[in-house]
Amino acid sequence: AEGSSLAPAGRLYHAIAALARANDETRAGAQQHASQALPLPPEEDDSDERRLAARLLRAVLARTEHLDQSLRVGPDGAWFIPPGGERVDLTRRPVLCRILETFVARRLSAHPDPLSLQDLIKGGWPGERLVADSATNRVHVALSTLRRRGLKGIIEHRHGGYRLHPDTPVFRVTGPIAD
């Protein structure tokens, strides 16, 4: 009985793993497969294990349904994919990586308040002593460059600071993703 009670939960965990491994080309198929595994038939909704697996699958499915409209950011801000756009590589622009990472860290924090110019200076040029006018100019050039590279409409100036638009979902991507 134990083995048969885990089979439906295993099917749900398999669907979760398929969603996690999916890239832009395979996501639709993985989403369809996951959707077909839900809802659980009443005869299979009788264990905590299956209910937990179903709840996890619903959460993962909800997150992946909006990936195309989200900002996806690679480790340390090394690359990003803007909503509906192509991957933008920033690895040769370490200041831009650090500034993007500063935005993402703030957005995903418990207090996603706008970043001040000083926050962006510290994030982009950590440990450097910069003249105020020069530092401000550097931030403005970096923000302009990020906007030109795909973040126009996402980086906004509000409430005395800068932030990622609150209506744009932001996901930090830690694994490989197709170019």
Side-chain angles (χ1 to χ4, degrees):
E2 183 67 27
S4 64
S5 71
L6 290 180
R11 189 178 69 240
L12 297 172
Y13 288 123
H14 178 73
I16 292 168
L19 281 170
R21 288 189 308 267
N23 59 31
D24 289 343
E25 291 78 34
T26 62
R27 185 172 301 108
Q31 288 170 329
Q32 182 178 7
H33 173 73
S35 295
Q36 290 170 348
L38 293 170
L40 286 177
E43 66 273 9
E44 292 183 6
D45 193 14
D46 63 350
S47 78
D48 291 339
E49 177 76 16
R50 285 191 294 261
R51 282 191 294 275
L52 174 62
R55 191 166 46 242
L56 288 171
L57 179 55
R58 284 185 194 99
V60 171
L61 190 57
R63 288 179 63 107
T64 62
E65 287 175 350
H66 301 289
L67 278 178
D68 291 339
Q69 297 91 38
S70 69
L71 170 62
R72 293 172 275 174
V73 181
D76 300 321
W79 54 265
F80 68 90
I81 301 173
E86 298 293 320
R87 180 178 164 146
V88 177
D89 184 10
L90 298 176
T91 54
R92 293 188 175 145
R93 307 288 302 270
V95 169
L96 297 181
C97 294
R98 289 191 298 266
I99 288 177
L100 180 57
E101 181 58 27
T102 300
F103 274 114
V104 171
R106 177 63 62 94
R107 172 62 178 280
L108 298 178
S109 75
H111 303 287
D113 301 323
L115 293 158
S116 68
L117 279 173
Q118 196 60 37
D119 293 330
L120 292 169
I121 292 166
K122 287 179 187 175
W125 297 269
E128 289 189 37
R129 297 178 62 128
L130 303 171
V131 176
D133 289 344
S134 171
T136 299
N137 186 56
R138 286 183 185 195
V139 168
H140 288 142
V141 169
L143 294 176
S144 177
T145 302
L146 286 169
R147 287 177 174 132
R148 256 192 340 271
R149 305 272 316 257
L151 298 180
K152 184 176 184 175
I154 296 173
I155 294 177
E156 63 177 18
H157 185 248
R158 292 282 188 273
H159 310 293
Y162 296 87
R163 67 180 185 179
L164 298 176
H165 194 285
D167 292 338
T168 302
V170 176
F171 294 99
R172 194 185 301 265
V173 180
T174 56
I177 191 164
D179 285 330

